[in-house]
Amino acid sequence: MNILGAIYYRFLSNFIECARLYKLDLQLFTPPFTANVPKNFTFTIIGIESLGKLRTHYQDNEHRIKVAQERLNSGYYVCFGYIDTATGKIAYTRWICKHEFYSEVLGKRLTFVDNEVLTLDSWTSPEYRNMGLHKNMNLEMLLWLKQHTKVESVFMVIKCFNPHLTKVVRAFGYKPIKTVIRFRNKKDTEC
């Protein structure tokens, strides 16, 4: 973490929240590296039929399971995943939203048209962490969207002062388009 990040999390985060909205022009996207996923993982789209496996993946966290079920039933979300072919377990999940989403960190509702999506939360089961699944999923997800959909713009929200979160995002070509500073208990300021 850089000095500014350390100052923010140590002191300023008690008073303000800061987040940035990024946008990627998918038509201009060229992979900065090739996927290097271990052989025993398969990239897939996870559907409602995998709710039992999601329960295990989310370690019986009722909130996460409820959110996953609501998202899958709505038709407005897509869940990408890596399956461990040796065990059949879901090792990693990554969500995108195709319609509208309330961003807590931006403090506003984001609405998307047919050719836009928002990249959301991801989760790696503890036993599969530090295997490069997150970095590779970001690449495979973007390539899949580019090859199989009419999506032109991919958005992502990232909290400010986290350089480790933006390194790969910027390498992929995401550009910051809006920064929102939310003073706790005061009006938001957009930049």
Side-chain angles (χ1 to χ4, degrees):
M1 181 178 296
N2 63 16
I3 297 278
L4 190 54
I7 291 169
Y8 172 77
Y9 283 105
R10 178 92 181 188
F11 304 106
L12 296 178
S13 65
N14 293 323
F15 307 103
I16 65 170
E17 292 180 289
C18 181
R20 188 165 285 139
L21 180 64
Y22 288 84
K23 180 181 180 181
L24 172 71
D25 183 339
L26 197 56
Q27 295 175 328
L28 300 177
F29 172 68
T30 55
F33 57 86
T34 56
N36 189 20
V37 183
K39 284 192 290 188
N40 61 313
F41 293 99
T42 302
F43 172 82
T44 190
I45 294 175
I46 296 171
I48 194 72
E49 73 282 351
S50 296
L51 202 54
K53 286 184 178 185
L54 281 171
R55 176 171 288 286
T56 301
H57 174 65
Y58 289 132
Q59 301 177 322
D60 292 319
N61 180 305
E62 290 303 324
H63 174 71
R64 284 192 179 126
I65 295 161
K66 180 182 176 193
V67 168
Q69 186 171 12
E70 288 172 357
R71 286 177 177 179
L72 290 170
N73 284 330
S74 77
Y76 295 130
Y77 295 83
V78 177
C79 182
F80 297 95
Y82 281 126
I83 303 292
D84 181 338
T85 55
T87 64
K89 286 182 172 181
I90 299 172
Y92 178 94
T93 51
R94 180 71 186 217
W95 292 87
I96 62 168
C97 175
K98 305 184 292 181
H99 184 56
E100 67 178 25
F101 183 81
Y102 181 80
S103 170
E104 298 271 340
V105 294
L106 290 178
K108 62 174 27 181
R109 182 163 302 285
L110 303 171
T111 304
F112 305 97
V113 295
D114 289 342
N115 63 351
E116 299 175 334
V117 296
L118 173 68
T119 303
L120 295 174
D121 48 287
S122 61
W123 173 260
T124 308
S125 292
E127 65 266 32
Y128 297 107
R129 292 185 180 158
N130 300 315
M131 299 175 116
L133 297 179
H134 182 71
K135 179 179 173 182
N136 284 293
M137 174 57 77
N138 280 311
L139 175 62
E140 289 200 84
M141 175 191 69
L142 291 173
L143 290 173
W144 188 90
L145 288 169
K146 189 172 182 172
Q147 295 166 2
H148 300 284
T149 71
K150 294 181 181 182
V151 170
E152 295 176 10
S153 300
V154 181
F155 294 88
M156 183 181 292
V157 178
I158 300 177
K159 287 185 177 182
C160 296
F161 309 113
N162 283 320
H164 66 282
L165 293 178
T166 59
K167 183 179 176 184
V168 172
V169 168
R170 288 181 182 263
F172 283 164
Y174 283 88
K175 305 283 187 232
I177 59 170
K178 183 181 285 187
T179 300
V180 175
I181 300 169
R182 299 179 64 218
F183 297 94
R184 296 191 189 272
N185 300 322
K186 292 190 179 180
K187 191 174 179 172
D188 298 346
T189 304
E190 292 187 13
C191 304

